[in-house]
Amino acid sequence: MNSIAQQLKTRFEKAFTSAFGESYADTDLMLAPAGNPKFGDFQCNAAMSLGKKLGKPPRAIASTIIENLDIADICETPEIAGPGFINLKLKPAYLEAQISEIAADTRLGIEPVKTPQRVAIDFSSPNIAKEMHVGHLRSTIIGDAIARTLEFQGHDVIRINHIGDWGTQFGMLIAYLREVHPQALTTADALDLGDLVAFYRQAKQRFDADATFKETARQEVVKLQAGAEDTRRAWKLLCDQSRREFQVIYDLLDIKLTERGESFYNPLLSAVIADLNKLGLLVESDGAKCIFVDGFTNKEGEPLPLIVQKSDGGYNYATTDLAAIRYRIQNDKAKRIVYVTDSGQANHFAQVFAVARKAGWIPEDVEIVHVPFGLVCGEDGKRLKTRSGDAVRLQDLLDEAIVRTRQDLENRLKAEERHETEEFIASVSRTVGLSAVKYADLSQNRASNYVFSYDKMLALQGNTAPYMLYAYVRVQGIRRKGEIDFDNLDASAKVILQSDAELVLAKHLLQFNEVINAVGGDLLPNRICQYLFELSQKFNQFFEQCPVLKAEEPLRTSRLMLCDLTARTLKLGLDLLGIQVLERM
């Protein structure tokens, strides 16, 4: 079902063609929701911009538009205000019909896109032999929310986990473990991941300070690349252990991914260099092979090269990213490629994309985009860290959210003298705690830094997950109290919109389509959060002002339909954010 804005746009386009001819069919309608409810629901401001073109007063132009405008089934008689604003007020009967239509649809009136695409989304991407930390939180849940939204729209989405599972760090770690803990290279889980991380740090210190060890580590990399059996076995053990630890986090957050680490693209790197060489794009600088692209300079203003092969013959991130672009276009047949990483990598990806375009590897019909995000900060406004200065382990952060939620829940149950089972308490604590962390992140504009605060994200009031979940639970409370079966309400019942609260709620419910389409385009999940927050507010106002179970028929059933549609919209919207709903809290 087309959104209200789209339906109005179509009617206005016809009016412009009838009034001014085909040459004005593509005029900017300047049609938008009214900024103030007293002016109606929508406003068209195109008359002012047409004044000079047509040589007529804007109010006269507005009158001509209205004379040719066929919207009697949608709006009350349009009004001209000020210098030529056209104000539109939606008819309650039209809103009632629209609400009834989406209420009868399992997709809430949101049709799948007409031209679905294959979309590759690169997100999460932790490193082997390192624990996932708070920095991975944003990439993981922003990428998941984008994937869920595009999948709901009907796109064929590939969720790619580009893990760091190759390169110098493995030679360094394997060489060090051969000395201090050789059992870890032959026996699965001989070390905890935390110990492995500690050994990695020690190996890095040794690598930076000891030239002999550095050469030993380099030889391990050569053996790994050559397929030496013992080195490969050690590498695989380390990768498998890290994967199992990552999966604990992914299961907790309900994240689905297809792993394609750096090692996946390793066999393709030599071809990347060879093809760049054939195209005449490679330039040698200090023994390294580079590519220069216009528009990229260093701090001194000098041309900044993208190094694709180091002087020792090794490859780097840029080489792997170029190979990944080619694979995703040629093998995956992706028409849209999305990279969800922190803002600090913006220049890297801009340069990689520019090189791929210069090489002719990105066809005109393929969109490739970097989705940047800001930092997770502590109360001091700086990057969130532990007291020791380390990045906060993601597992610790999630566990703490669940513990704090449980404490709040138990205090509330005690105050209400309410008794619940251990299963109920554990389930609600986990769902609300994890939802609060996700929602607090996703509700921010992803490009911005945000301050991580358990107190704010777990609050029952405000733009928080608990507030959304409580609005959903409120509807379930109505269902239980009235013994209502929402799936079997009177099929012939009509939605009746009489009070202001009913009209306001109905209008907002009809905007969900526009929000989903917007997120599918600009990949900003916070739009969904803002919509759901406002929906919860409007529903709570409706709930307080409009009796539901005590209302007389046919108003009772109508209000039950509004309650059910609100709950279904909340459930769908939260699901697109990777958040589960609860029947009780």
Side-chain angles (χ1 to χ4, degrees):
M1 184 177 82
N2 287 334
S3 67
I4 295 174
Q6 186 58 50
Q7 292 179 56
L8 289 173
K9 181 174 181 289
T10 300
R11 302 292 181 94
F12 268 91
E13 286 172 346
K14 290 181 180 179
F16 274 61
T17 301
S18 299
F20 311 116
E22 290 290 342
S23 61
Y24 286 86
D26 296 328
T27 299
D28 182 0
L29 302 178
M30 301 179 71
L31 181 68
N36 189 326
K38 73 178 184 180
F39 298 128
D41 298 301
F42 285 88
Q43 193 172 65
C44 174
N45 301 333
M48 276 73 74
S49 64
L50 287 173
K52 290 183 179 179
K53 291 183 181 179
L54 296 173
K56 295 181 180 180
R59 285 186 68 92
I61 294 171
S63 294
T64 303
I65 294 171
I66 291 173
E67 288 170 7
N68 289 273
L69 186 61
D70 178 17
I71 56 169
D73 58 324
I74 300 177
C75 298
E76 307 287 359
T77 302
E79 296 181 352
I80 301 174
F85 303 119
I86 300 175
N87 292 334
L88 306 169
K89 184 176 181 180
L90 299 170
K91 284 184 172 180
Y94 166 77
L95 293 169
E96 290 167 354
Q98 295 287 297
I99 287 290
S100 296
E101 187 175 341
I102 67 171
D105 183 11
T106 56
R107 290 181 57 89
L108 307 182
I110 305 173
E111 298 176 358
V113 291
K114 291 182 173 60
T115 53
Q117 294 179 312
R118 172 70 63 84
V119 184
I121 306 180
D122 183 326
F123 66 103
S124 194
S125 308
N127 291 312
I128 295 296
K130 295 183 181 179
E131 292 173 300
M132 290 181 73
H133 54 74
V134 68
H136 294 110
L137 175 68
R138 302 208 75 181
S139 177
T140 302
I141 61 179
I142 292 171
D144 180 58
I146 290 172
R148 286 170 181 262
T149 302
L150 295 180
E151 286 163 350
F152 178 73
Q153 286 189 303
H155 296 292
D156 179 12
V157 177
I158 310 170
R159 298 154 157 263
I160 300 172
N161 197 7
H162 188 98
I163 65 170
D165 68 345
W166 198 253
T168 304
Q169 69 267 32
F170 284 97
M172 191 171 67
L173 181 58
I174 290 171
Y176 190 73
L177 289 173
R178 285 198 193 284
E179 293 183 13
V180 300
H181 209 297
Q183 187 181 1
L185 303 179
T186 57
T187 307
D189 298 322
L191 289 170
D192 289 335
L193 184 58
D195 294 330
L196 199 59
V197 171
F199 280 132
Y200 177 86
R201 289 174 180 161
Q202 293 165 19
K204 180 69 168 67
Q205 291 173 356
R206 180 93 174 272
F207 183 86
D208 291 339
D210 185 339
T212 302
F213 178 78
K214 189 172 188 176
E215 177 58 24
T216 303
R218 195 184 73 79
Q219 290 301 321
E220 287 288 358
V221 175
V222 173
K223 288 165 65 179
L224 179 61
Q225 293 172 338
E229 186 176 342
D230 65 330
T231 304
R232 279 275 180 163
R233 182 175 64 250
W235 169 74
K236 188 174 185 305
L237 284 172
L238 296 173
C239 289
D240 288 346
Q241 181 175 358
S242 290
R243 284 191 191 97
R244 287 192 292 274
E245 296 289 340
F246 297 157
Q247 196 58 48
V248 171
I249 299 286
Y250 294 141
D251 289 344
L252 198 60
L253 294 173
D254 190 22
I255 306 293
K256 303 292 189 297
L257 285 156
T258 298
E259 183 186 309
R260 284 193 197 157
E262 293 172 9
S263 63
F264 179 88
Y265 303 102
N266 193 57
L268 311 176
L269 302 186
S270 60
V272 168
I273 302 301
D275 290 348
L276 289 170
N277 190 43
K278 288 177 185 176
L279 291 167
L281 298 179
L282 292 182
V283 175
E284 193 163 308
S285 176
D286 296 327
K289 293 179 180 178
C290 315
I291 303 169
F292 289 89
V293 182
D294 292 341
F296 293 92
T297 56
N298 59 21
K299 293 179 180 178
E300 289 72 36
E302 300 167 341
L304 180 68
L306 183 73
I307 300 173
V308 292
Q309 190 168 24
K310 295 179 284 189
S311 57
D312 64 2
Y315 305 113
N316 56 18
Y317 292 131
T319 329
T320 303
D321 286 332
L322 288 169
I325 288 174
R326 296 217 299 181
Y327 189 92
R328 292 164 187 177
I329 293 172
Q330 297 171 6
N331 297 71
D332 292 330
K333 309 299 182 186
K335 293 299 181 182
R336 192 180 190 188
I337 307 174
V338 179
Y339 293 79
V340 185
T341 73
D342 65 90
S343 301
Q345 297 187 52
N347 287 337
H348 165 77
F349 280 111
Q351 199 171 14
V352 167
F353 298 165
V355 167
R357 288 193 180 94
K358 189 172 183 178
W361 294 343
I362 304 177
E364 289 294 324
D365 63 344
V366 172
E367 178 189 9
I368 185 165
V369 58
H370 177 224
V371 171
F373 55 81
L375 299 175
V376 181
C377 300
E379 299 285 357
D380 59 359
K382 298 178 181 178
R383 186 192 295 267
L384 186 64
K385 293 182 179 181
T386 64
R387 290 181 179 177
S388 63
D390 296 329
V392 177
R393 292 175 68 242
L394 185 49
Q395 183 72 60
D396 292 341
L397 181 144
L398 299 176
D399 289 344
E400 178 71 10
I402 295 171
V403 168
R404 288 185 180 229
T405 305
R406 183 176 181 117
Q407 290 172 344
D408 290 346
L409 176 59
E410 288 176 341
N411 290 338
R412 183 158 53 86
L413 293 177
K414 185 177 179 180
E416 296 173 2
E417 296 183 348
R418 182 173 140 205
H419 301 286
E420 296 290 353
T421 65
E422 168 58 28
E423 182 181 7
F424 172 86
I425 294 172
S427 174
V428 170
S429 299
R430 174 182 164 125
T431 299
V432 175
L434 296 176
S435 298
V437 172
K438 283 188 176 186
Y439 191 91
D441 192 302
L442 293 169
S443 62
Q444 312 295 319
N445 183 315
R446 55 172 166 73
S448 305
N449 299 344
Y450 80 95
V451 175
F452 189 94
S453 168
Y454 286 113
D455 290 340
K456 289 181 180 178
M457 68 178 60
L458 293 172
L460 288 172
Q461 296 296 324
N463 191 9
T464 66
Y467 184 68
M468 311 299 125
L469 293 172
Y470 186 69
Y472 180 85
V473 165
R474 214 168 201 179
V475 177
Q476 305 318 308
I478 293 172
R479 173 181 59 78
R480 287 190 298 272
K481 185 176 180 180
E483 297 182 346
I484 307 298
D485 182 354
F486 283 124
D487 293 332
N488 288 302
L489 292 174
D490 184 356
S492 64
K494 304 293 184 183
V495 174
I496 304 166
L497 303 175
Q498 293 182 342
S499 71
D500 287 343
E502 288 169 313
L503 286 164
V504 167
L505 177 59
K507 290 172 187 176
H508 196 73
L509 285 166
L510 291 170
Q511 293 172 16
F512 195 35
N513 193 346
E514 296 173 49
V515 174
I516 298 304
N517 289 336
V519 175
D522 60 26
L523 309 179
L524 289 168
N526 63 296
R527 290 185 183 275
I528 297 176
C529 297
Q530 186 62 33
Y531 171 84
L532 296 178
F533 175 48
E534 292 175 8
L535 175 60
S536 298
Q537 288 180 313
K538 289 171 172 55
F539 172 74
N540 286 332
Q541 291 164 0
F542 157 80
F543 179 83
E544 292 164 4
Q545 297 173 25
C546 302
V548 178
L549 295 177
K550 292 182 179 180
E552 298 292 332
E553 292 293 359
L555 206 53
R556 182 178 187 270
T557 298
S558 171
R559 288 176 176 173
L560 284 171
M561 291 172 69
L562 281 176
C563 288
D564 181 45
L565 184 54
T566 298
R568 289 165 57 200
T569 304
L570 283 168
K571 185 175 183 178
L572 174 56
L574 289 170
D575 182 68
L576 296 180
L577 300 174
I579 293 174
Q580 297 178 350
V581 294
L582 291 163
E583 300 297 305
R584 294 192 302 126
M585 280 176 69

